[in-house]
Structure formats: C-alpha cells, structure tokens
Amino acid sequence: MLQIETRSEQSTNPFWLELARERLRWRREPTRGLVGSFDSIAERPLSWFGDGELNVTETCVDRHLAHRPDKVAILWEGDTPGDVRRISYRGLHREVCRAANALRSLGVQQGDRVILYMGMVPELAIAMLACARLGAVHSVVFGGFSADALRDRIVDSGARVVITQDVSMRGGKRVPLKATVDAALTDAVEHVVVVKRTGDTVAWSTRDVWWHTIVDAADAEHEAVAVSADHPLFILYTSGSTGRPKGLVHACAGYLAYASYTHATVFDLQESDVYACVADIGWITGHSYIVYGPLANGATTLMFESTPSYPDPGRYWEMVQRHRISIFYGAPTALRTLAAEDVDHVRRYDRSSLRVIGSVGEPIDPDSWRWYHDIVGEGRCTLVDTWWQTETGGIAISAVAPARTTKPGCATRPLPGIQVSLRGTDGARVHGEGEGQLCIDRPWPGQARTVWRDHERFVSTYFSQIPGAYFTGDGARRDLDGDYWITGRIDDVINVAGHRMGTAEFEAALNAAPGVAEVAVVGYPHPRKGQGVFAYVVPERGATIDGALLDASCRASIGAHAKVDSFRIVPGLPKTRSGKVMRRILRKLAEGDQENLGDLSTLSDPSLVDALKAAI
Ligand code: WT7
C-alpha cells in the first residue's frame, strides 16, 4: 500500500498506466496513460490508455477460465430466501457468448445502444456483458422508473433494442416490467427481448422475443469485438440540479481499470472471499461493485433480488450465514431501518464469516455506524465508508481494509491516485482544517468521459464552477488529522433513501398536477430516508390541492420511488426581484429553522416570509 502511495504521488500517469496494464486483458497494450487535461476538456474529452484495444468481457470472464473456471462468479439469491442460483466462470462465459450471439442475430452491432429495464436477475449481468462483448453500449434503467422516465431514456440514447423481463419479484410483490416497457415504447425500438422470470401472462407483439428462445439456441462460442480503450461501455442516466437526467458515459478501459483497482483495494479482496453488494444494478454501485469490479477481479459476487426486510429484517444476516459472506457492502438507508428493529434479527445469525463491511450512497449517521460496526460486525470488522458518485465511476474517498477507523461517519482519505481539494465559494483552496466545496483536482481513469451527445453540458456541469478542477456538488469538512467528512449535496440534488433525484424533476412533475400554479421542492432531514422531499405548492386561484394527485404525478413522471414526503400550500414563492426562487429560505424553513433565514432584503415581497412561516 505504501509503495503504491509513493508511486502515485510522484506522477499519476505511470501509476495508472502500469495499473491498467496489469489489471486488464488487452488485445493491444496501451503505451499512453492520460491524454488531455481539465483545462482542455471543453475542446476534447480526456483519453485514458487511448492507443490500447480490448474487450472488457475478456477481463471479466475469459481471463478467469484458465485459473478459476469452476469458481462461482455470480451467486444469485432470489426474492424467496434460499432460492439460489450459482453460475461459475465457465458457465458465465457460455451464457455471455450465447447472449452476444443472440443479440447479434437481432442486428446489435458495435456502438449500438441497448436499454436494459430489468430486476435483479442473473440475465441482467449476462445482458450487460453480452452488449459489452459486441462493443454495444448498454444503458440500465432502474426497474422502479415509470414508463415516461423509461421513454425519455430510450429516446435520448437512441436505442433500438430493449431487454426486459415479464415481471420482477421484490419483497413478495410483482413489478410488471414488460407492461411498463410496452407503455414506454417508441417506433424506433425494433426488438424487445423478454426474460421469463415469473411466467405471468404478458401482452405480446411481433417485435417481442423471449430471451430463452434466442439465447438457448445460440452458439456458446463468440469472438469478442476488440474496441478502443475510449470506446463507450455504458450510459447511465443520473439526476443533476437542472433539467432532465443526463446520460453519463463511461469508457471501457479507464472505467474497468478503476472499478477493478478500487474493488480489490478498498475491500482487501482475497481469492476465497464471498463478496456481497446488496445495491441494485440500476445504479452505478451495482455496475461497478456487483458486476464489473468483482468480475474483473475473479471474485464471487452476490446478486440479491429482494429487499432488506423481506420476509423479515434479518434477511441480510441470514444470507451472510447461508453463503458465508466475508465482504458485505450496503446503503445507510437500509441500515437505519434495520437498526431500528430488535437486535435479535442480527444476533440470530452467524456472522463470523464477515471481515469487511461497507457503506455507500449517503452520509452514514453515527448511530447507524456504531450499530453496523459494533453489532453487525461484532466490533472486529473493518467498516469502510465509501464516498463516490456516478460520475467518479468508482470509490474516490474511503478507508482501506484492513486498516481500521474509529470515526463514525467519516469517509477518511482519498484513495491513492485521487487528489481532492476543498474550495471556498470564491474557488480559493481551503488549507488544513476547514470546510468547503469538494473538488477533485486531477483526472483519474474512472471518471465519466462525457454526457451522451452533449459534451457541452458535461463541461458546464462539472468544470465551469472551479477552473481546472472537477466539481462534485458535495460539501465536505477536513479535520485536524486530514480526514474528510462529507456533509452532503450543496446543489439542488437530493438523496432520498440513497436515490439521487433532482428537485427540478420533482418540480416538473408537480407542475403537471391538477390545480398547481407554481411549485418549489427542497430536501430536508428525514430520520429514515436521510433526506425527504418537501414541496411548497402555490395553487391556482380557487383550486384545492389533493396530496394523492401530487404523488400520482411524481409516480407517473419519475417512478414509484419518487414520493413527496411533506407539502405545504403557500400563497407564493419567495423570489428575488429578478424572479429567482430563493431556495435557501425554503430549505431553512423545511428544516424547521425559522430564525436563520439570512438576508431577506433582495426579496421582491418580504412580507411573504411571514406567510411561509405560518404555513410550516
Ligand atoms: C452522491 C452520489 C456512490 C455511488 C452511489 C450513489 C452521496 C455517496 C456517500 C458517502 C456521504 C455520499 C454524495 C454523492 N454519497 N456516497 N459515503 N457519504 N455521501 O451515486 O447516485 O451518483 O450519488 O451520493 O452526495 O454526490 P450517485
């Protein structure tokens, strides 16, 4: 570890180049590391290992056939406890080859986009890898998104093929994915491939084809398509502070090298580990730490179809016992819910196999941290609080196992190769102990390359605030030891139960609800979800506002995971004389703070503040 650290400090380029050469299987070895810089990123996206050629599935699958063909690659635990499927690396190779041949027979080629709208079934990982094997670009859309949200992503990506399943099972409930795809489809989509999960009857049209019909019949050998290192591997849509979700593009080599490096390093991965990340593949955590990182490293990776409380709050720890899980990686929102239950749900199960436990997606509060560390991990496991984002591709700030940390809620240090800074509102660096906007000062290979078909948006979103640095959108504090504490988003992104959403998306959805004249949405501290959604609604003259209709509107335009937690009817929104909504005031009031509203002199109607206070 020390050696890596010194090497990375001397010069990042040889460090990353050596790392990528070692970690990936190449068709043509790269001779270059990074080409480009944050200063020139507006003219040209950064290139990592740009003269190299590879196919990522040869690193994630083929390479393991020599050393660990019979090792379990994917360990699937279905919705019903104990419903288990085990797919070896040999089996994974066969299935990925078959699926690649099947997609090829539908006309999928290098550069084509394929939308995956699925639950947590092994075919999802197989489909991702099959796309990658063809050089096609997958875009996984979380199965909770509505038909409208799915359509936006189909249209923006320009996909002609969608892969889905009949119905998905989650916590004993059926989620009708195929029906949602039918409602989302545009004429541009030529084929819908349907995995049979439950066997429920689904509507069928001439463009539909069963996964098993084409995959089972396909040849089990497939020659992977070698692509350039910078070729896009996937698009993942994520919410920002303004407008519609952006399709972040991750490129093959840099992304995979970084996912592999961080997965092996942070969790101290050993050959015999049983590794479980209980996130959903619909988000970046699942891409990097269920599929690409673990498979690149030849690990056994668990895929979990269900929820933390089904059939009871002991489900995670029951799985730990059943599979002898040694590394467990989960989200604070689930941990908070489980920590509120009887500890017997944890103690009942043997957790002696656990060695490293991780947290991801939002700040972990000290109480949940202690419960996770002391009770779940019996005080003997390393707890890694991992900070990163869809944009970073992989973990950027975290403790590294087996080193222990005793600071509940502290993400600790940037990983070797990552250089961060804290900046004041004027962009000036904060030195030593202090707080500021969290930036990353130097390029790293895991970084998203661009926004799909909108490089300008990529540049203006991340590189216009602080010249020469990547702006994360988070605030952070550095303590006297030099450790980092993430304080949360400082832009208009809210993190509700680990789901990243933009207040602008909520506002667009709520504006469409009957009787709504104007609306503003902010986040506020929520005991279970981390942040909740708080809406200030200005009704049309004489209209009454129905909370159920507000919810229905969000559900239709975003998805089932988008709910308004609290709303207030107000006579107007606090605006500056130039018409800009003063969100700072709305945030403070939603937090329950009526005193520290700051300077109100620029408001066009200062008397409105009293009306807002009265409405809270
Ligand atoms: C945002 C990114 C990390 C992958 C899953 C979420 C917040 C993430 C932490 C953490 C405090 C965290 C940040 C970040 N966040 N991890 N350990 N401590 N906050 O990816 O959906 O792109 O969301 O999640 O606010 O910006 P994402």
Side-chain angles (χ1 to χ4, degrees):
M1 200 68 234
L2 251 177
Q3 200 197 346
I4 302 179
E5 204 145 4
T6 342
R7 269 194 288 165
S8 77
E9 271 166 12
Q10 282 162 356
S11 164
T12 51
N13 234 351
F15 168 71
W16 292 124
L17 183 59
E18 196 179 316
L19 184 151
R21 279 204 186 133
E22 277 168 14
R23 291 198 163 270
L24 307 185
R25 174 181 274 192
W26 294 92
R27 288 285 186 89
R28 179 143 61 101
E29 286 240 332
T31 61
R32 298 199 300 253
L34 169 69
V35 174
S37 74
F38 286 165
D39 295 317
S40 65
I41 202 161
E43 289 101 69
R44 224 171 314 107
L46 301 180
S47 164
W48 280 100
F49 321 118
D51 61 345
E53 274 180 27
L54 79 172
N55 182 287
V56 300
T57 67
E58 294 188 335
T59 296
C60 293
V61 188
D62 303 51
R63 193 173 47 144
H64 306 308
L65 296 180
H67 306 294
R68 42 178 89 87
D70 299 316
K71 181 172 179 176
V72 175
I74 296 179
L75 170 56
W76 179 78
E77 164 112 3
D79 198 42
T80 307
D83 183 8
V84 174
R85 272 174 72 185
R86 291 184 178 84
I87 301 174
S88 66
Y89 274 98
R90 196 199 310 273
L92 185 62
H93 179 259
R94 189 177 55 233
E95 293 308 310
V96 170
C97 285
R98 280 197 172 131
N101 282 320
L103 291 178
R104 185 71 197 84
S105 73
L106 297 180
V108 176
Q109 297 187 28
Q110 178 174 353
D112 287 352
R113 279 79 58 207
V114 178
I115 294 273
L116 311 184
Y117 184 67
M118 300 170 78
M120 290 289 287
V121 291
E123 288 80 1
L124 170 53
I126 292 165
M128 292 163 80
L129 294 166
C131 289
R133 201 158 179 98
L134 295 168
V137 181
H138 61 71
S139 185
V140 182
V141 177
F142 173 60
F145 278 114
S146 67
D148 284 0
L150 175 58
R151 186 182 315 110
D152 287 346
R153 288 155 174 77
I154 293 173
V155 170
D156 188 81
S157 66
R160 285 181 294 128
V161 173
V162 176
I163 306 180
T164 187
Q165 61 191 69
D166 47 3
V167 168
S168 148
M169 293 302 300
R170 257 194 112 238
K173 296 201 185 80
R174 305 177 109 72
V175 187
L177 295 182
K178 168 68 165 64
T180 305
V181 169
D182 289 342
L185 282 188
T186 63
D187 288 340
V189 175
E190 291 160 17
H191 301 284
V192 176
V193 183
V194 189
V195 171
K196 187 181 273 192
R197 164 66 180 93
T198 61
D200 283 62
T201 309
V202 288
W204 208 252
S205 85
T206 49
R207 63 179 151 194
D208 298 332
V209 53
W210 286 110
W211 168 279
H212 58 261
T213 306
I214 56 170
V215 172
D216 293 356
D219 199 86
E221 290 296 329
H222 177 272
E223 168 81 9
V225 177
V227 298
S228 118
D230 290 317
H231 187 71
L233 175 58
F234 63 84
I235 304 172
L236 190 58
Y237 286 85
T238 191
S239 299
S241 30
T242 53
R244 308 205 336 188
K246 2 173 214 303
L248 287 166
V249 178
H250 278 285
C252 289
Y255 169 79
L256 192 66
Y258 196 70
S260 156
Y261 156 63
T262 50
H263 176 255
T265 306
V266 170
F267 299 108
D268 181 31
L269 186 74
Q270 312 286 328
E271 184 65 39
S272 60
D273 274 320
V274 177
Y275 165 85
C277 168
V278 289
D280 193 291
I281 292 178
W283 312 109
I284 190 70
T285 307
H287 281 63
S288 303
Y289 298 113
I290 298 178
V291 181
Y292 286 112
L295 294 179
N297 293 335
T300 294
T301 180
L302 181 106
M303 259 182 93
F304 179 45
E305 188 181 32
S306 194
T307 70
S309 335
Y310 183 77
D312 65 50
R315 181 67 188 270
Y316 281 167
W317 326 121
E318 186 208 348
M319 283 198 299
V320 167
Q321 173 178 290
R322 172 164 36 253
H323 301 300
R324 303 285 304 155
I325 290 167
S326 50
I327 304 174
F328 183 90
Y329 192 29
T333 185
L335 303 175
R336 273 194 299 274
T337 307
L338 300 181
E341 304 282 347
D342 191 336
V343 293
D344 192 50
H345 285 299
V346 185
R347 295 220 165 106
R348 209 172 336 145
Y349 300 104
D350 176 8
R351 284 133 26 245
S352 58
S353 57
L354 285 176
R355 193 176 84 248
V356 183
I357 52 180
S359 169
V360 58
E362 49 180 318
I364 180 165
D365 59 281
D367 285 348
S368 303
W369 193 100
R370 282 191 199 94
W371 173 84
Y372 198 28
H373 181 266
D374 298 349
I375 300 192
V376 173
E378 299 173 320
R380 54 174 185 80
C381 298
T382 298
L383 197 172
V384 289
D385 177 4
T386 63
W387 176 87
W388 58 295
Q389 315 175 293
T390 308
E391 292 85 344
T392 68
I395 298 166
I397 304 181
S398 176
V400 170
R404 311 291 290 276
T405 163
T406 49
K407 295 184 182 177
C410 179
T412 73
R413 301 292 179 97
L415 295 186
I418 299 292
Q419 192 178 310
V420 307
S421 61
L422 298 179
R423 312 285 187 128
T425 40
D426 55 355
R429 281 166 199 277
V430 175
H431 295 284
E433 194 185 6
E435 195 165 337
Q437 315 181 59
L438 180 65
C439 291
I440 305 183
D441 288 0
R442 281 206 220 149
W444 69 101
Q447 183 176 15
R449 192 159 192 260
T450 186
V451 168
W452 180 248
R453 286 188 172 148
D454 199 349
H455 190 60
E456 231 175 276
R457 188 167 175 205
F458 181 70
V459 174
S460 66
T461 308
Y462 304 108
F463 299 95
S464 65
Q465 292 82 355
I466 311 288
Y470 164 78
F471 173 66
T472 65
D474 279 313
R477 182 167 69 77
R478 188 170 41 224
D479 67 18
L480 265 177
D481 301 331
D483 286 327
Y484 289 84
W485 301 71
I486 310 298
T487 51
R489 299 293 305 201
I490 47 180
D491 53 10
D492 292 318
V493 169
I494 44 181
N495 193 329
V496 183
H499 294 155
R500 171 169 165 182
M501 293 185 275
T503 54
E505 286 169 82
F506 271 98
E507 288 167 3
L510 292 171
N511 264 315
V516 174
E518 223 184 344
V519 63
V521 168
V522 296
Y524 74 105
H526 186 286
R528 190 170 42 80
K529 296 180 172 183
Q531 275 190 301
V533 175
F534 196 106
Y536 294 86
V537 182
V538 184
E540 284 167 357
R541 186 183 291 274
T544 48
I545 298 294
D546 182 338
L549 292 181
L550 294 182
D551 266 344
S553 214
C554 296
R555 175 181 275 271
S557 115
I558 307 172
H561 57 297
K563 286 198 187 68
V564 174
D565 296 287
S566 190
F567 74 93
R568 298 287 188 277
I569 306 294
V570 292
L573 300 175
K575 291 184 184 165
T576 60
R577 276 182 284 268
S578 57
K580 200 169 179 304
V581 175
M582 286 181 74
R583 299 179 162 275
R584 171 178 49 96
I585 298 176
L586 297 176
R587 268 188 227 117
K588 283 284 174 202
L589 289 174
E591 281 168 19
D593 184 350
Q594 303 226 341
E595 305 306 319
N596 305 302
L597 301 182
D599 180 14
L600 303 178
S601 64
T602 56
L603 276 178
S604 68
D605 176 10
S607 71
L608 185 66
V609 173
D610 288 328
L612 291 173
K613 283 183 178 172
I616 292 293

